[in-house]
Amino acid sequence: MTETAQRAEPMRQWEDLRKRTGVLDWLAEITVDVDEIRDEAEQQYNGAKNAFGDAERIEHEARSTCVAQLGKAQRDLPDFRGDLPHPSVLLAGMPALRQEVGEAAHDPNAALPGAGPRVDGIAPNVGSETVSPKLREIRSRLDGLPPAMDQNKWLPSNSDEDRREWIRANRAHIRDAAAYTGLPADMVAGIAWQEVQGDPKWADNMAVNYRRSQYEVWPEFQWMAEQVGLPGEADQTSMGPIAIQLRRSAEVLGYDPENLTRDQRDEIQKATQNPSTNIYIASEYLAQLKAESSFANVPADQMTPAQYQELAARYNGGPGWRTDDAQAYGRGFGMNIEDARRALND
């Protein structure tokens, strides 16, 4: 055994002894007590082997327990695929849960302040029904209000005076929609200041009809649609005085945008373009965006200017509200909010 090997730990010495291959190795190791080294090396080897075996056994037992628990959890999960009925049908068969939902609907403590209308209930299945429950609810609130003033119907406009006139004329609707959705009234008025005027109604109708009849039915017209500034699908068209996409309107009103009948599409478009219902739809969408923000539970009267501006950017950009365009929209909102407030309160 060499001098280096003699200074090594017993396991290393044992390995060196096992690898003896020449006469010099034999002469170096002839005076070594091989049995003593072997015993110590075997002892350490067995200790290491036992420790590894314990670790392997513990890992195996933990893995088996974990896999068994995960399997049980998976089997316990309800399967919402296949022919399972709509959740509203399941709700009808659970009286205790229905009772809880009914009690929470009339309990002011069931929602945090500033959260707006409760959106955690199971909405009725609209199915092929033309007018959704949400749209009926909005229209019922309009019974005590005069018809809202529409925007310019014929020519594009960018007039601040026309914006002031629109907000003044519709202040009752703006305030009621804000109270209904748990928002500050000037937040809704500020978005109105950003959106009213612009393209007249006939231009919106032309855009949505073009997209339905040309872009969607004949995809080969895609290039032409892009050249005239009308890319995208019909439900991406923004309509109404406070411009909002038809798809967003459908979602706000409780419809399934992927499965709309022709009558439902027409009803959604009519509600989005009607100035009275349009204010409530836009306000409801703002409330949903606020519920997705970090200030979801901040009461309406405690929202900061930065939160106002972020909510405006979210309204413009949706999931892409951090983009430069959406942020510029938010800054523009912040610059014009005082004008909107004066128009609302004059």
Side-chain angles (χ1 to χ4, degrees), residues 30-193:
I30 194 169
T31 61
V32 174
D33 188 346
V34 176
D35 291 335
E36 181 181 354
I37 295 175
R38 178 186 292 111
D39 290 342
E40 189 173 356
E42 290 289 352
Q43 182 179 0
Q44 293 200 26
Y45 172 81
N46 290 332
K49 179 180 179 182
N50 292 337
F52 178 80
D54 289 341
E56 186 177 34
R57 175 181 53 77
I58 293 171
E59 187 274 339
H60 176 76
E61 292 175 355
R63 183 175 66 248
S64 299
T65 301
C66 183
V67 169
Q69 291 297 324
L70 287 174
K72 181 179 183 301
Q74 184 180 33
R75 291 190 297 273
D76 290 343
L77 284 173
D79 190 350
F80 289 104
R81 300 168 296 180
D83 299 327
L84 192 75
H86 187 272
S88 61
V89 178
L90 292 178
L91 182 63
M94 293 184 282
L97 183 56
R98 287 206 317 273
Q99 180 180 350
E100 291 295 328
V101 171
E103 291 175 359
H106 304 289
D107 183 358
N109 297 316
L112 294 173
R118 299 180 185 89
V119 295
D120 55 349
I122 300 176
N125 185 6
V126 176
S128 60
E129 187 177 359
T130 301
V131 181
S132 70
K134 172 61 75 174
L135 182 53
R136 282 199 301 270
E137 182 180 351
I138 290 174
R139 286 174 175 167
S140 69
R141 295 187 68 90
L142 296 171
D143 290 342
L145 296 172
M149 172 186 171
D150 209 343
Q151 63 178 347
N152 189 331
K153 296 183 179 180
W154 300 110
L155 298 175
S157 172
N158 193 31
S159 166
D160 284 354
E161 187 52 44
D162 288 344
R163 293 185 175 94
R164 291 189 186 92
E165 182 183 3
W166 192 91
I167 292 173
R168 288 193 190 107
N170 297 322
R171 65 182 66 178
H173 297 79
I174 292 173
R175 287 173 177 156
D176 187 70
Y180 171 61
T181 56
L183 291 172
D186 57 352
M187 180 74 225
V188 182
I191 294 295
W193 185 278

Side-chain angles (χ1 to χ4, degrees), residues 59-339:
E59 187 274 339
H60 176 76
E61 292 175 355
R63 183 175 66 248
S64 299
T65 301
C66 183
V67 169
Q69 291 297 324
L70 287 174
K72 181 179 183 301
Q74 184 180 33
R75 291 190 297 273
D76 290 343
L77 284 173
D79 190 350
F80 289 104
R81 300 168 296 180
D83 299 327
L84 192 75
H86 187 272
S88 61
V89 178
L90 292 178
L91 182 63
M94 293 184 282
L97 183 56
R98 287 206 317 273
Q99 180 180 350
E100 291 295 328
V101 171
E103 291 175 359
H106 304 289
D107 183 358
N109 297 316
L112 294 173
R118 299 180 185 89
V119 295
D120 55 349
I122 300 176
N125 185 6
V126 176
S128 60
E129 187 177 359
T130 301
V131 181
S132 70
K134 172 61 75 174
L135 182 53
R136 282 199 301 270
E137 182 180 351
I138 290 174
R139 286 174 175 167
S140 69
R141 295 187 68 90
L142 296 171
D143 290 342
L145 296 172
M149 172 186 171
D150 209 343
Q151 63 178 347
N152 189 331
K153 296 183 179 180
W154 300 110
L155 298 175
S157 172
N158 193 31
S159 166
D160 284 354
E161 187 52 44
D162 288 344
R163 293 185 175 94
R164 291 189 186 92
E165 182 183 3
W166 192 91
I167 292 173
R168 288 193 190 107
N170 297 322
R171 65 182 66 178
H173 297 79
I174 292 173
R175 287 173 177 156
D176 187 70
Y180 171 61
T181 56
L183 291 172
D186 57 352
M187 180 74 225
V188 182
I191 294 295
W193 185 278
Q194 296 292 103
E195 297 292 346
V196 296
Q197 302 311 311
D199 292 334
K201 185 182 295 185
W202 64 264
D204 291 340
N205 289 333
M206 184 181 72
V208 72
N209 289 333
Y210 181 87
R211 283 167 169 157
R212 282 178 180 166
S213 61
Q214 303 288 339
Y215 183 77
E216 292 181 359
V217 178
W218 294 295
E220 60 269 20
F221 278 80
Q222 178 178 355
W223 180 86
M224 183 184 298
E226 292 174 349
Q227 300 311 303
V228 299
L230 293 174
E233 300 177 359
D235 64 1
Q236 294 176 318
T237 307
S238 294
M239 308 191 88
I242 305 180
I244 183 170
Q245 287 187 357
L246 291 174
R247 182 181 184 86
R248 299 297 180 219
S249 287
E251 292 170 347
V252 164
L253 295 173
Y255 295 95
D256 178 4
E258 303 298 334
N259 297 284
L260 294 173
T261 66
R262 175 54 65 115
D263 289 343
Q264 287 174 337
R265 289 182 184 276
D266 292 343
E267 196 68 38
I268 294 166
Q269 182 171 333
K270 182 172 69 174
T272 306
Q273 289 188 307
N274 183 290
S276 296
T277 47
N278 172 266
I279 295 170
Y280 287 82
I281 293 171
S283 186
E284 181 87 14
Y285 180 48
L286 277 168
Q288 292 182 5
L289 292 172
K290 180 174 181 287
E292 298 170 3
S293 72
S294 61
F295 50 92
N297 295 322
V298 174
D301 59 355
Q302 295 180 25
M303 285 179 60
T304 66
Q307 291 168 348
Y308 271 68
Q309 187 168 313
E310 179 181 323
L311 190 53
R314 286 176 178 272
Y315 185 88
N316 177 260
W321 67 275
R322 296 181 185 274
T323 62
D324 291 343
D325 288 345
Q327 290 297 305
Y329 181 97
R331 291 191 295 271
F333 170 93
M335 294 172 59
N336 296 317
I337 186 63
E338 288 301 326
D339 289 323

